[in-house]
């Protein structure tokens, strides 16, 4: 600038005629000479007046005059062949300061924000992993090449470099964004540069472009970095909003790479589709994505909140900043920026600048260490973001409360279908399974609803009918004789009963006081066997209803999982949590032999269910947890209701009672016929012995009287 000022003064002194000469068009040389003579006195007088004007100027007037001339000067690029481009021409050069001012005026808002960040700490960028490592000795003779060569920037760079040298840290020379200037930075794993361009669109959608530069040396950064975002945000009143993310593209060192969105509990992650190993070097990442439902709405204003760096980075962030661009013609009501740890925030470490009416810049003045975050809040007038359309409101509703809606749908479908099914079940239109009445012990439970000593007697008569044992009476002794080891017709539970009676090698059991303990144990085993048969029967009868209920529950959970980014993970998460809740429900209702065990089991069930519900809140609302638990309870309770005697078993109970009446009505024919042996066990199970007295025709197979004596002894 000083050179330009002297050149202008020199030209004013040497060429006044050029500056003040009048120009007129002439036809020929003679006319030109005459015109020159005629105007000579006029020109001379003008020069005298101008000289007098300058001589009478004060120093302040002269300074203002030169400033005005300097402001209106026009710089013209001259070629050497031009008349004014020779050796005698005046060479007017721009100073470094003027060049800097012009460069600053041409910079974008993003670049201006970046320059402000550079005033406090030098950042870095990528190239390919080709950064040169310098030792202390090499660094002492190296001068950083920064974008701004002003005196303050040079002093700042030298001071920072000296601080790095004093800390005995090797240096890396790397190119920094957005100008790709070469700068020395520490050769340690950290994030020297994190900058975000945030654009709030009129429809409430927010577009992000994040530029993140990392230094990797194989310690923490062995693989490509991930981005982590909270799935839920909370407004000033504590209301939770679920944020929706849409990943557009990701690049590393300018090369596109495939990333995907996944969610793990309370966080949404951007991670590479395929594993990307990082060799030691410097890498520049660019993430382009959009988010929705990040703007909070209040009665008098709207508010944009964003945690720029989060608190999940396990690396130091040397410089962090952002540009927030609001919708056009938006007047900013207020802004705030905080940095620090959760619960320990400071508002004096982040510089805020307003580049335009609708553009704000945020730059952290200090590095952000592990666990620290930088938060930004911008208040907007109502109407800056347009009212949502009906379709977008519906999509936001599904995104925020879809889990509740699907869980409620699943519960309603299960409950209503069970109510309708119960109505038809009560009509007793179920046809019993064929052959069910060949099992005398199960027949007694269906007809009488008990498992007692007669159940054991009917079981022995069934074994006699199957030719497995013989029942004999010798004087006052009643003997059970094992006739075969072929027990394929028995269930595993019935085999245990038989082994309990005869052991491994015994074939005769004398029923007396000495064998009472063995018989008592066999009766208990038989009771368990009958209960198992009843459960199997109930399961067969209830299978379709249980499958429907569980299917509707799984459908609801699948729909909830589909609302998230990682369907498989979330579905498996919900499925396991539901199984745990089902176990807690069973544990709470199960009856143990000891009262203390029952109390302990119930307490454990409550605590386990509460812990499971708390974990489930990471991906669903509390109402969803309650609805899923209610669906489990409905399935369980209706399952119990269905298999009661007036439920799905009602048709079997009625059929068993009708079978007892049939035996009584046909007693005379049956007791004298060949079918008596086949029905003898059912006769005892249904308390029809009085109608089936001994006769000559059945004396060889009649065992009702002997078994009755046996039951009196046990």
């Amino acid at each position: 600038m000083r050179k330009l000022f002297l050149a202008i003064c020199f030209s004013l002194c040497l060429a006044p005629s050029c500056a003040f000469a009048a120009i007129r068009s002439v036809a020929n040389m003679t006319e030109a000479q005459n015109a020159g003579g005629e105007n000579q006195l006029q020109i001379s007088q003008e020069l005298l007046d101008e000289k007098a004007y300058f001589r009478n100027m004060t120093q302040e007037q002269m300074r203002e005059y030169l400033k005005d001339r300097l402001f209106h000067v026009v710089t013209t690029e001259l070629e050497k062949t031009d008349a004014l481009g020779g050796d005698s021409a005046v060479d007017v050069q721009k100073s470094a300061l003027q060049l800097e001012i012009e460069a600053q005026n041409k910079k974008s808002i993003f670049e201006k924000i970046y320059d402000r960040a550079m005033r406090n700490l030098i950042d870095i960028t990528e190239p390919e992993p080709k950064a040169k490592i310098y030792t202390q000795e090499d660094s002492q003779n190296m001068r950083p090449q920064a974008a701004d060569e002003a005196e303050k920037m040079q002093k700042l760079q030298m001071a920072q470099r000296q601080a790095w040298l004093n800390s005995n840290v090797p240096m890396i020379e790397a190119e920094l964004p957005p100008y790709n200037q070469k700068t020395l930075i520490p050769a340690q794993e950290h994030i020297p540069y994190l900058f975000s361009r945030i654009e709030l669109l009129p429809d409430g959608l927010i577009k992000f472009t994040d530029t993140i530069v990392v230094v990797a040396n194989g310690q923490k950064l062995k693989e490509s970095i991930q981005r982590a975002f909270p799935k839920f945000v909370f407004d000033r009143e504590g209301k939770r909003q679920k944020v929706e993310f849409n990943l557009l593209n990701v690049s590393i060192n300018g090369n596109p790479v495939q990333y995907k969105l996944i969610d793990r509990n309370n966080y949404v992650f951007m991670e590479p589709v395929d594993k990307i190993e990082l060799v030691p070097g410097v890498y520049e990442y660019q993430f382009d994505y959009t988010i929705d439902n990040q703007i909070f709405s209040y009665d008098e204003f709207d508010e944009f909140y964003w945690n720029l760096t989060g608190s999940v980075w396990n690396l130091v962030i040397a410089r962090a900043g952002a540009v927030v661009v609001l919708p056009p013609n938006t007047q900013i009501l207020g802004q705030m920026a905080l940095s620090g740890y959760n619960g320990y925030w400071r508002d004096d470490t982040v510089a805020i600048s307003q580049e335009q009416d609708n553009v704000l810049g945020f730059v952290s003045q200090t590095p952000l260490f592990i666990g620290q975050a930088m938060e930004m809040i911008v208040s907007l007038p109502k109407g800056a973001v347009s009212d949502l359309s009906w379709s977008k409101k519906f999509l936001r509703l599904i995104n925020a409360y879809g889990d509740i809606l699907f869980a409620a749908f699943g519960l309603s479908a299960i409950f209503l279908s069970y109510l309708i099914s119960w109505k038809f079940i009560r009509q007793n239109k179920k046809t019993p399974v064929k052959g069910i009445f060949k099992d005398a012990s199960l027949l007694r439970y269906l007809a009488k609803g008990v498992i007692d000593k007669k159940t054991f007697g009917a079981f022995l008569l069934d074994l006699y009918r199957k030719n497995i044992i013989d029942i004999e009476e010798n004087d006052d002794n009643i003997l059970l004789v094992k006739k075969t080891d072929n027990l394929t017709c028995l269930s595993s539970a019935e085999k245990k009963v038989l082994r309990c009676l005869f052991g491994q090698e015994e074939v005769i059991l004398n029923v007396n006081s000495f064998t009472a303990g063995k018989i008592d144990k066999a009766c208990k085993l038989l009771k368990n066997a009958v209960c198992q048969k009843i459960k199997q029967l109930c399961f067969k009868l209830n299978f379709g209803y249980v499958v429907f209920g569980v299917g509707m529950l799984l459908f609801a959970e699948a729909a909830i999982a589909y609302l998230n980014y990682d369907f498989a993970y979330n579905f498996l998460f919900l499925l396991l949590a539901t199984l745990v809740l089902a176990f807690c429900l069973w544990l709470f209702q199960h009856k143990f032999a000891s009262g203390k065990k029952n109390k302990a089991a119930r307490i454990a069930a409550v605590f386990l269910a509460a812990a499971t519900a708390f974990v489930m809140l990471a991906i669903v609302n509390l109402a969803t947890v309650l609805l899923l638990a209610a669906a489990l309870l409905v399935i369980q309770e209706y399952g119990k209701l269905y298999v009661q005697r007036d439920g799905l078993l009602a048709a079997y109970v009625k059929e068993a009672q009708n079978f007892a009446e049939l035996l009584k009505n046909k007693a005379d024919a049956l007791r004298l016929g060949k079918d008596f042996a086949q029905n003898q066990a059912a006769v005892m199970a249904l308390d029809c012995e009085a109608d089936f007295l001994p006769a000559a025709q059945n004396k060889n197979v009649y065992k009702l009287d002997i078994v009755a004596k046996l039951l009196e002894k046990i």
Side-chain angles (χ1 to χ4, degrees):
M1 185 61 71
R2 190 178 299 113
K3 292 181 179 180
L4 183 59
F5 173 76
L6 294 177
I8 294 173
C9 294
F10 183 74
S11 62
L12 288 175
C13 296
L14 293 182
S17 58
C18 295
F20 301 101
I23 301 175
R24 188 178 67 170
S25 176
V26 295
N28 50 51
M29 183 61 69
T30 304
E31 184 180 352
Q33 293 175 350
N34 295 334
E38 293 173 358
N39 294 320
Q40 186 66 36
L41 293 176
Q42 181 181 355
I43 294 173
S44 299
Q45 185 62 41
E46 291 176 354
L47 290 173
L48 290 174
D49 293 341
E50 290 293 337
K51 289 179 180 180
Y53 172 75
F54 287 115
R55 282 196 300 268
N56 295 330
M57 274 187 178
T58 64
Q59 184 176 1
E60 186 64 27
Q61 289 173 333
M62 177 61 75
R63 184 180 294 110
E64 293 299 325
Y65 173 78
L66 293 176
K67 283 184 179 180
D68 182 68
R69 293 302 301 269
L70 175 62
F71 181 76
H72 290 91
V73 69
V74 178
T75 304
T76 304
E77 299 294 339
L78 300 178
E79 300 291 339
K80 292 183 178 181
T81 56
D82 294 340
L84 296 178
D87 295 335
S88 61
V90 178
D91 186 10
V92 180
Q93 299 290 336
K94 299 179 182 179
S95 69
L97 181 58
Q98 184 180 7
L99 292 172
E100 176 192 343
I101 293 174
E102 292 179 359
Q104 289 291 336
N105 292 334
K106 294 179 181 179
K107 290 179 181 178
S108 65
I109 295 172
F110 182 91
E111 293 170 335
K112 291 178 181 179
I113 296 297
Y114 171 78
D115 287 341
R116 287 189 176 88
M118 289 290 294
R119 295 174 189 171
N120 294 280
L121 192 69
I122 293 179
D123 309 331
I124 75 163
T125 185
E126 62 91 6
E128 294 288 335
K130 299 177 182 176
K132 181 180 179 182
I133 304 297
Y134 290 85
T135 62
Q136 288 187 356
E137 293 76 11
D138 297 329
S139 302
Q140 290 175 351
N141 299 321
M142 180 164 294
R143 178 174 178 270
Q145 300 179 19
D148 189 352
E149 294 187 356
E151 184 176 0
K152 291 183 179 180
M153 180 59 69
Q154 293 178 2
K155 290 182 179 180
L156 178 61
Q157 289 177 339
M158 294 299 293
Q160 291 175 353
R161 185 176 66 173
Q162 188 62 39
W164 286 331
L165 292 176
N166 293 338
S167 63
N168 196 28
V169 176
M171 311 304 293
I172 298 178
E173 184 185 66
E175 297 179 359
L176 307 181
Y179 314 117
N180 294 330
Q181 74 266 22
K182 294 182 179 179
T183 309
L184 292 180
I185 50 92
Q188 291 183 339
E189 279 194 342
H190 68 296
I191 300 176
Y193 182 85
L194 191 155
F195 215 89
S196 181
R197 174 181 170 83
I198 306 170
E199 185 177 359
L200 278 65
L201 303 179
D203 61 352
L205 197 68
I206 306 173
K207 184 178 180 181
F208 288 80
T209 299
D210 294 344
T211 302
I212 304 173
V213 179
V214 297
V215 179
N217 58 21
Q219 296 177 355
K220 297 178 181 178
L221 295 177
K222 298 180 180 180
E223 298 180 5
S224 187
I225 65 172
Q226 295 180 340
R227 298 298 316 276
F229 303 92
K231 186 187 296 186
F232 304 100
V233 292
F234 297 86
D235 64 7
R236 299 186 181 192
E237 300 172 353
K239 295 180 180 179
R240 187 172 78 164
Q241 292 184 186
K242 186 178 181 181
V243 184
E244 184 176 0
F245 294 84
N246 182 27
L247 182 59
L248 302 178
N249 54 72
V250 180
S251 65
I252 303 177
N253 297 342
N255 300 316
V257 293
Q258 292 294 324
Y259 264 63
K260 63 181 179 180
L261 287 171
I262 63 170
D263 46 357
R264 294 293 182 269
N265 301 332
N266 283 322
Y267 286 93
V268 175
F269 293 90
M270 296 178 184
E271 68 173 23
V273 174
D274 300 319
K275 183 178 179 181
I276 302 176
E277 295 184 359
L278 297 183
V279 299
V282 184
Y283 298 85
E284 178 181 344
Y285 287 80
Q286 180 168 312
F287 293 85
D288 294 313
Y289 55 96
T290 62
I291 66 172
D292 195 13
N293 207 24
Q294 184 67 36
I295 298 177
F296 301 118
S297 179
Y298 301 98
D299 294 336
E300 299 180 354
F301 65 95
D302 293 335
E303 190 171 75
F304 166 68
Y305 161 80
W306 186 244
N307 190 336
L308 178 65
T309 60
S311 56
V312 296
W313 289 106
N314 194 22
L315 298 168
V316 174
I317 302 176
R319 172 58 52 224
V323 171
V324 180
V325 182
L326 306 180
N329 303 321
T330 300
Q331 296 296 325
I332 300 172
L333 300 182
Q335 62 278 327
M336 178 183 294
L338 305 170
S339 67
Y341 298 98
N342 231 355
Y344 298 93
W345 299 104
R346 296 183 60 180
D347 60 358
D348 58 348
T349 56
V350 180
I352 305 176
S353 61
Q354 187 166 358
E355 302 300 327
Q356 295 180 7
D357 291 341
N358 65 326
V359 178
L360 285 174
F362 299 85
V363 176
S364 176
Q365 301 296 299
T366 59
L368 300 174
F369 295 97
I370 296 176
Q372 285 187 316
M374 175 179 165
E375 297 185 347
M376 303 175 298
I377 303 173
V378 180
S379 299
L380 316 174
K382 298 294 290 186
V385 176
S386 61
D387 293 334
L388 300 178
S389 62
W390 184 89
S391 60
K392 193 162 188 178
K393 287 181 179 179
F394 177 75
L395 291 176
R396 282 194 177 182
L397 177 68
I398 294 298
N399 184 53
Y401 303 107
D403 56 331
I404 299 177
L405 297 176
F406 286 120
F409 171 79
L411 175 60
S412 301
I414 294 171
F415 185 75
L416 292 176
S417 62
Y418 276 22
L419 282 179
I420 297 172
S421 300
W422 179 246
K423 180 179 179 180
F424 286 96
I425 289 172
R426 295 301 299 270
Q427 296 177 1
N428 291 329
K429 294 182 178 181
K430 186 74 175 179
T431 303
V433 178
K434 293 182 179 180
I436 192 70
F437 303 116
K438 292 182 179 180
D439 191 330
S441 56
L442 181 59
L443 181 63
R444 179 165 181 79
Y445 174 81
L446 292 173
K448 304 297 181 179
V450 295
I451 302 175
D452 54 5
K453 290 195 298 182
K454 273 199 171 183
T455 304
F456 182 70
F459 172 71
L460 294 178
L461 291 173
D462 253 345
L463 294 179
Y464 174 75
R465 176 178 63 84
K466 296 174 182 178
N467 204 30
I468 295 176
I469 65 171
D470 193 7
I471 305 173
E472 299 179 358
E473 183 179 13
N474 186 7
D475 296 332
D476 291 336
N477 297 324
I478 298 177
L479 303 177
L480 300 178
V481 181
K482 185 179 179 182
K483 299 175 65 177
T484 180
D485 290 328
N486 184 9
L487 307 178
T488 55
C489 60
L490 301 181
S491 66
S492 59
E494 291 173 335
K495 291 177 182 178
K496 289 182 180 180
V497 178
L498 195 63
R499 283 197 295 267
C500 179
L501 291 174
F502 293 98
Q504 295 293 334
E505 298 180 357
E506 297 178 6
V507 294
I508 299 176
L509 175 68
N510 189 356
V511 180
N512 52 40
S513 58
F514 295 102
T515 58
K518 183 182 293 188
I519 295 175
D520 183 61
K521 184 178 180 181
C523 289
K524 292 180 179 179
L525 291 175
L526 178 62
K527 182 177 181 180
N528 294 334
V530 174
C531 290
Q532 183 177 346
K533 291 179 181 179
I534 295 170
K535 290 180 180 179
Q536 291 175 351
L537 175 61
C538 292
F539 179 77
K540 291 179 181 179
L541 298 176
N542 201 23
F543 180 77
Y545 300 99
V546 172
V547 168
F548 175 80
V550 173
M552 290 305 302
L553 181 60
L554 293 178
F555 173 79
E557 292 181 348
I560 294 171
Y562 191 75
L563 294 175
N564 297 278
Y565 302 104
D566 192 340
F567 171 80
Y569 171 83
N570 287 278
F571 180 71
L572 182 61
F573 180 91
L574 289 174
L575 179 60
L576 293 177
T578 305
L579 291 176
V580 174
L581 290 178
F583 171 75
C584 294
L585 193 60
W586 171 86
L587 185 63
F588 185 85
Q589 297 177 341
H590 186 72
K591 292 182 179 180
F592 292 91
S594 171
K596 292 183 179 180
K597 289 183 179 180
N598 285 328
K599 186 176 181 180
R602 292 183 178 182
I603 294 175
V606 171
F607 275 100
L608 182 59
T612 304
F614 179 78
V615 173
M616 292 176 69
L617 293 179
I619 62 173
V620 295
N621 291 283
L622 177 60
T624 304
V625 178
L626 298 178
L627 290 170
L628 294 177
L632 286 173
L633 185 62
V634 169
I635 293 173
Q636 182 194 59
E637 292 304 314
Y638 267 96
K640 292 180 179 179
L641 183 64
Y642 280 5
V643 297
Q644 290 181 1
R645 295 180 61 81
D646 58 347
L648 291 172
L649 290 178
Y652 290 85
V653 171
K654 185 177 181 180
E655 193 71 16
Q657 294 172 348
N658 291 338
F659 187 61
E661 294 297 325
L662 179 65
L663 288 177
K664 291 181 180 180
N665 295 333
K666 295 184 177 182
D668 293 337
L670 289 174
R671 73 186 181 91
L672 299 177
K674 297 180 180 179
D675 293 334
F676 174 76
Q678 298 297 322
N679 293 287
Q680 188 172 207
V683 169
M684 174 164 282
L686 298 175
D687 296 335
C688 298
E689 299 96 318
D691 297 310
F692 287 83
L693 298 175
Q697 291 85 350
N698 59 26
K699 65 179 181 179
N700 294 329
V701 294
Y702 192 90
K703 302 294 181 182
L704 290 175
D705 53 349
I706 300 176
V707 173
K709 294 178 182 179
L710 183 150
L711 296 180
E712 291 178 358
K713 289 187 175 184
I714 64 176

